[in-house]
Amino acid sequence: VVRHGVYDSSGTLSKMGRDQIEKLARKMAVSFAGMKVVILTSHQFRTLETTKIIGEALGSPQSEVNTCLSSWEGDLPLAQKRNILELVNEYADKFDVVILVTHMEVIDLFPTFWGLSKGFVIREMMDAPKGSARVIDTVRGVEEMLLRP
């Protein structure tokens, strides 16, 4: 689960945000080399830009925009968690890696909901940094934080 980079008042990534995501994308390219990857993203400009940068670093894998990955102003309602879970499960059988490019609420809260659905305990976060990613090992149910500032 990737949180978009820092953005400016127009809603697009700032230079700092692009630099954050480029650094993250390089690390992801090494981690996911040789794997079949799909990127699922929110429709907001900053996540679309983030998806483009990551996609280019990963060799332009398939990507799809889905509104259930959008921000809900600090909350992640149960219905949205279920929609995201269904989306992830739909792609998990077809791809080795499913990347969600999204917002703070999803990166902070969704991994815990996913873990509970699979019998794993994954802690919630508070305010995951922009430009970071939580990588969940779906076999062992453990997480790794990529590029925590």
Side-chain angles (χ1 to χ4, degrees), residues 12-149:
T12 60
L13 293 180
S14 65
K15 180 182 179 336
M16 179 182 177
R18 285 189 301 278
D19 291 345
Q20 288 174 316
I21 298 304
E22 287 169 1
K23 183 177 178 184
L24 177 62
R26 286 191 299 273
K27 186 161 185 152
M28 293 173 91
V30 171
S31 296
F32 304 142
M35 296 181 179
K36 189 175 179 184
V37 176
V38 64
I39 304 173
L40 308 174
T41 184
S42 157
H43 69 286
Q44 292 171 309
F45 291 129
R46 55 191 177 268
T47 57
L48 295 172
E49 287 178 284
T50 299
T51 297
K52 183 175 188 263
I53 294 167
I54 293 170
E56 288 171 356
L58 297 178
S60 297
Q62 177 181 337
S63 64
E64 177 184 308
V65 175
N66 196 296
T67 56
C68 75
L69 295 170
S70 296
S71 177
W72 291 96
E73 303 302 322
D75 192 17
L76 192 63
L78 182 58
Q80 185 180 8
K81 289 178 190 175
R82 288 181 176 149
N83 289 340
I84 298 170
L85 184 61
E86 287 176 19
L87 183 67
V88 168
N89 288 339
E90 175 186 337
Y91 284 90
D93 292 335
K94 303 173 203 164
F95 294 88
D96 301 319
V97 177
V98 178
I99 298 172
L100 306 178
V101 177
T102 186
H103 308 275
M104 180 182 64
E105 299 84 3
V106 179
I107 192 173
D108 283 353
L109 304 173
F110 180 72
T112 302
F113 185 76
W114 176 88
L116 290 172
S117 78
K118 304 295 182 186
F120 298 121
V121 176
I122 299 174
R123 65 182 172 74
E124 287 186 358
M125 289 193 74
M126 293 304 291
D127 299 326
K130 291 179 177 82
S132 64
R134 293 177 77 182
V135 178
I136 310 297
D137 178 327
T138 60
V139 174
R140 298 179 302 138
V142 296
E143 76 168 308
E144 173 188 359
M145 191 72 179
L146 292 184
L147 297 180
R148 177 185 287 272

